[in-house]
Amino acid sequence: MLPITGGIAGSLLTACGGSDGAAVTTTPTLAPSIGMASASFVSMAAPSLAVPADMAKTLVSSALQVTFSDKTTQTFALAYAPFFTTGDLVPDGKGGTILAGGYYDINNKPIIDTSVAGKERQFFSDSPDGTSLLKLDKPTTVAGIKGNAVYAVVQFEYTTRAQDDATDMYGKLPSPIAVLTLDQDPATGKLSLVKYHNVDTSSAMGLWITCGSSLSPWGTHLSSEEYEPDAFTVASNAQFKAYSKNTFGDETKANVYHYGHLPEVTVNPDGTGSIKKHYCLGRISHELIQVMPDNRTAIMGDDATNGGFFMFVADKEKDLSSGSLYVAKFGAGFSLDPAAAGAPISWIKLGSATSAEIKAMADTLKASDIMDVVTTDPADASYTKIWYSGKPQWVRVKPGKEKAAAFLETHRYAALKGGSMAFTKMEGTTVNTKDKVAYSALQNMQSSMVKGNAAWNPDYNITIDKALNAGGVLAHTLSAGQKDTTATAINSEWVPSLTKTLLIGEDLAVADALGNLANPDKIGAPDNLKFSEKLRTLFIGEDSSYHVNNFLWAYNVDTKVLSRVASMPSGAEATGLGVVDDLNGWTYITSNFQHPGDWIASLHGKVQSTLDPLVRANYKNRFGAQVGYLTSVATSVKLGKTS
């Protein structure tokens, strides 16, 4: 939790005694204050086997340094405070408890793990992900609130394995999503969980692999469904059959076209939540979207091989239920060199639709009603060669089914229409409003981006000479007055028009002494992105198979300084990144992690034997993971210094 409201006394950095979140009592001053001029993060060192325990937990030994308008500075040590570990019993707001991260079927009945006879228990997630922190204008009184009622929405992407520690459960359970009611101490900013509510997702047919998320400008939680199952091969998809069985009790009941869309959660004043799924933003591998300040324009990450850069422009503000979908077509100039001029972007309109009409199509159409798809050249000019998920295919749209193809077979249709379907694992997106720049994370730069690869198409204008496993972050200039490829004006002043590289990682030719396969002092496989306007900082969370510990970074866009802010438990991914610049005068950085101790032999071979027992002891034998936020170590501080 960070202070940012310069010039206002009482804008404090919360006090915390460490990861247990114990508060230190302080009295805020009401005297006049000297405002904040700037803030920066003091980087921490990466943990090592010199202190194995540091590698087996969330470690925060960084600091926030504040410079005031009178040129003086103060430095505040940071720490991590979890709300809970998944698998904990937490308050349900009704005088009882509920299992944090627990799984429920379409009838809201607990889904039971029976993999160990005599130890049956409800499944719970080891992979919390997207988190939104927010407040409501008129919250209802909730038991346990002593200060301000604030809320968090937390989604759980998947669980890795069953209790037997062997049965793979990835993507086989409907993703839960929860609303947390939090008590915010007005004096310290400390957040305490008082209620956990599991959102009923039955109206959305359950949720499929919810990954990253964002907070909409109007205060709702914009979720995601990534890795949309292929409708043309779903009959042989064992994962999707298991999902259907666990969700509906029948492995044939789930409809493949109901998944791969954008769910939106609205928090109610009593700490409950409701959900609706938008079907008109394209059926892609939704990592997360970022809505621009106009409340209408959204850019979307597409976590896929042969993925695209997509944009949606809503018909009305604060309403994603209808609008127009576009895919980017890049011109020449894409480069990994941040000093390069960059690549211009033009936009191909794929179609306009309402969520309701696409939902009706999803309810009734089969894949074969929409397209013909073959995997070998049919020697038929009515087919078009595309690249899909790393391999060539030949496709043609059935007569009159262009809209269905655009919104239900978006990857294939975008390629057919000439979109630059070249990216690999485009993950987080965020926006720097002041500079009118958006950012996208590429977890890896591989296969379909690499010259000569079987998945590469030179016409996409996205070409690198060799793979960069450590990935990078792209920066997109946002412009008004843009037209699509038919010369029709795009009704937005926030359209990406030029892409440059901002930051890249560095692969190592030989693993270092700890086992890192990418330089641990640079970003490695960036995933989560969030930008703080007041801190002028881009926060970057990693999902790397190349760093022994994944890190949370802070990159100051003015000073160009990259600082390591936190280290996740070894084998865990950094998730749940969120930044709220002002929540009742406080700024918060949320941060979760998932699947601790998910060992990869080529990466963790030098540390696994030492760290595995420590991780198991910390996180429920590797079945638990944490949801929480950054805070200060010992004393509350104000960014406005008393004059």
Side-chain angles (χ1 to χ4, degrees):
M1 182 175 358
L2 305 170
I4 50 91
T5 312
I8 300 177
S11 295
L12 309 176
L13 182 66
T14 189
C16 173
S19 62
D20 63 357
V24 177
T25 302
T26 62
T27 302
T29 177
L30 297 179
S33 62
I34 297 169
M36 180 190 77
S38 64
S40 61
F41 288 88
V42 180
S43 189
M44 58 178 268
S48 73
L49 286 175
V51 185
D54 285 350
M55 299 183 70
K57 67 179 182 180
T58 301
L59 178 69
V60 182
S61 56
S62 54
L64 173 69
Q65 182 171 287
V66 179
T67 301
F68 297 98
S69 55
D70 65 355
K71 309 299 183 183
T72 60
T73 63
Q74 291 184 11
T75 300
F76 310 106
L78 302 178
Y80 182 68
F83 296 130
F84 56 78
T85 302
T86 58
D88 286 350
L89 291 174
V90 295
D92 64 1
K94 304 173 185 177
T97 59
I98 187 172
L99 186 70
Y103 282 89
Y104 298 86
D105 66 17
I106 202 69
N107 298 311
N108 293 303
K109 301 297 183 184
I111 302 175
I112 305 302
D113 180 352
T114 60
S115 63
V116 178
K119 294 185 178 181
E120 294 79 7
R121 69 183 187 190
Q122 184 180 1
F123 275 110
F124 59 88
S125 176
D126 67 346
S127 297
D129 207 296
T131 299
S132 296
L133 190 62
L134 57 103
K135 68 175 182 177
L136 301 177
D137 291 335
K138 296 179 180 179
T140 302
T141 300
V142 175
I145 298 294
K146 299 176 182 178
N148 300 318
V150 299
Y151 306 89
V153 183
V154 181
Q155 58 196 42
F156 300 89
E157 185 178 359
Y158 60 89
T159 196
T160 303
R161 62 188 72 83
Q163 190 180 183
D164 62 6
D165 213 16
T167 302
D168 176 28
M169 294 303 300
Y170 178 79
K172 296 178 180 178
L173 299 168
S175 294
I177 194 162
V179 175
L180 314 181
T181 302
L182 305 167
D183 182 21
Q184 183 191 47
D185 187 328
T188 67
K190 181 178 183 291
L191 301 176
S192 303
L193 177 65
V194 299
K195 179 181 178 179
Y196 179 110
H197 170 77
N198 187 69
V199 176
D200 178 2
T201 64
S202 58
S203 63
M205 281 65 71
L207 302 181
W208 170 268
I209 311 180
T210 55
C211 194
S213 71
S214 64
L215 179 66
S216 75
W218 52 94
T220 59
H221 175 86
L222 300 179
S223 182
S224 59
E225 292 184 313
E226 71 173 0
Y227 305 138
E228 82 284 10
D230 184 5
F232 285 88
T233 60
V234 73
S236 60
N237 187 330
Q239 178 194 43
F240 190 71
K241 289 179 180 180
Y243 174 90
S244 182
K245 176 71 173 178
N246 287 315
T247 304
F248 296 98
D250 181 341
E251 69 175 22
T252 67
K253 190 168 185 178
N255 177 344
V256 67
Y257 280 136
H258 286 161
Y259 307 99
H261 302 287
L262 185 93
E264 180 177 15
V265 176
T266 299
V267 175
N268 301 319
D270 63 354
T272 60
S274 60
I275 192 166
K276 56 185 173 182
K277 193 178 286 188
H278 298 294
Y279 289 80
C280 53
L281 283 86
R283 185 170 171 269
I284 60 174
S285 186
H286 283 285
E287 173 75 13
L288 60 84
I289 74 168
Q290 175 65 53
V291 178
M292 299 300 159
D294 65 353
N295 292 311
R296 295 176 55 251
T297 307
I299 59 172
M300 294 178 271
D302 182 23
D303 189 358
T305 298
N306 290 117
F309 185 31
F310 291 90
M311 177 177 66
F312 180 79
V313 181
D315 292 334
K316 296 185 291 186
E317 289 189 26
K318 303 180 182 181
D319 183 356
L320 299 177
S321 66
S322 67
S324 298
L325 179 65
Y326 300 83
V327 65
K329 181 177 179 63
F330 285 80
F334 183 84
S335 172
L336 299 187
D337 181 0
I345 304 173
S346 57
W347 290 93
I348 300 169
K349 184 176 179 179
L350 300 179
S352 299
T354 67
S355 181
E357 65 181 315
I358 303 306
K359 168 64 163 54
M361 293 179 185
D363 289 345
T364 57
L365 295 177
K366 302 185 298 295
S368 58
D369 297 328
I370 300 172
M371 271 185 169
D372 292 317
V373 175
V374 295
T375 56
T376 57
D377 189 347
D380 182 337
S382 66
Y383 284 82
T384 299
K385 183 181 181 181
I386 67 166
W387 279 259
Y388 176 85
S389 194
K391 297 179 180 179
Q393 293 187 345
W394 288 260
V395 304
R396 66 182 178 189
V397 179
K398 295 292 183 68
K401 298 301 183 184
E402 289 78 12
K403 182 172 285 191
F407 291 92
L408 295 178
E409 287 293 338
T410 308
H411 276 129
R412 291 184 171 98
Y413 190 71
L416 180 65
K417 298 297 284 186
S420 293
M421 304 299 288
F423 293 104
T424 51
K425 297 188 71 63
M426 182 177 281
E427 307 250 8
T429 55
T430 192
V431 63
N432 170 348
T433 299
K434 178 182 177 181
D435 298 336
K436 288 198 79 168
V437 174
Y439 306 102
S440 296
L442 290 176
Q443 181 185 328
N444 313 118
M445 297 176 175
Q446 301 171 335
S447 59
S448 56
M449 298 179 68
V450 180
K451 184 177 181 179
N453 188 280
W456 172 74
N457 178 3
D459 294 338
Y460 291 159
N461 284 323
I462 303 294
T463 300
I464 57 178
D465 290 330
K466 66 176 182 177
L468 179 60
N469 296 323
V473 177
L474 305 180
H476 314 289
T477 301
L478 302 171
S479 302
Q482 300 298 295
K483 297 180 179 181
D484 67 21
T485 52
T486 67
T488 302
I490 299 174
N491 187 18
S492 171
E493 297 183 354
W494 298 86
V495 177
S497 60
L498 179 76
T499 291
K500 299 180 66 173
T501 296
L502 180 73
L503 294 169
I504 57 172
E506 179 188 352
D507 295 344
L508 298 178
V510 179
D512 67 12
L514 204 60
N516 288 298
L517 302 173
N519 187 339
D521 293 323
K522 295 184 179 182
I523 60 171
D527 186 325
N528 291 207
L529 295 182
K530 288 292 184 295
F531 187 77
S532 167
E533 296 287 338
K534 292 191 176 181
L535 293 173
R536 298 286 294 163
T537 296
L538 176 66
F539 293 93
I540 305 166
E542 296 180 341
D543 174 12
S544 175
S545 298
Y546 307 98
H547 282 169
V548 173
N549 288 83
N550 280 314
F551 305 122
L552 174 63
W553 300 92
Y555 177 75
N556 188 296
V557 297
D558 297 323
T559 65
K560 316 301 183 189
V561 173
L562 180 69
S563 305
R564 185 186 289 106
V565 175
S567 173
M568 302 300 120
S570 188
E573 171 186 346
T575 63
L577 178 60
V579 180
V580 180
D581 273 344
D582 189 349
L583 188 63
N584 299 322
W586 299 82
T587 293
Y588 293 88
I589 300 172
T590 60
S591 182
N592 310 332
F593 65 82
Q594 59 181 227
H595 55 70
D598 190 10
W599 307 119
I600 301 171
S602 60
L603 175 66
H604 300 107
K606 299 178 181 179
V607 302
Q608 180 177 345
S609 61
T610 300
L611 299 184
D612 186 67
L614 300 176
V615 169
R616 288 180 181 273
N618 288 343
Y619 304 114
K620 296 182 168 65
N621 203 27
R622 299 195 303 165
F623 289 101
Q626 290 184 329
V627 173
Y629 64 103
L630 300 188
T631 180
S632 69
V633 171
T635 60
S636 295
V637 297
K638 56 181 179 293
L639 287 184
K641 187 174 63 173
T642 302
S643 60

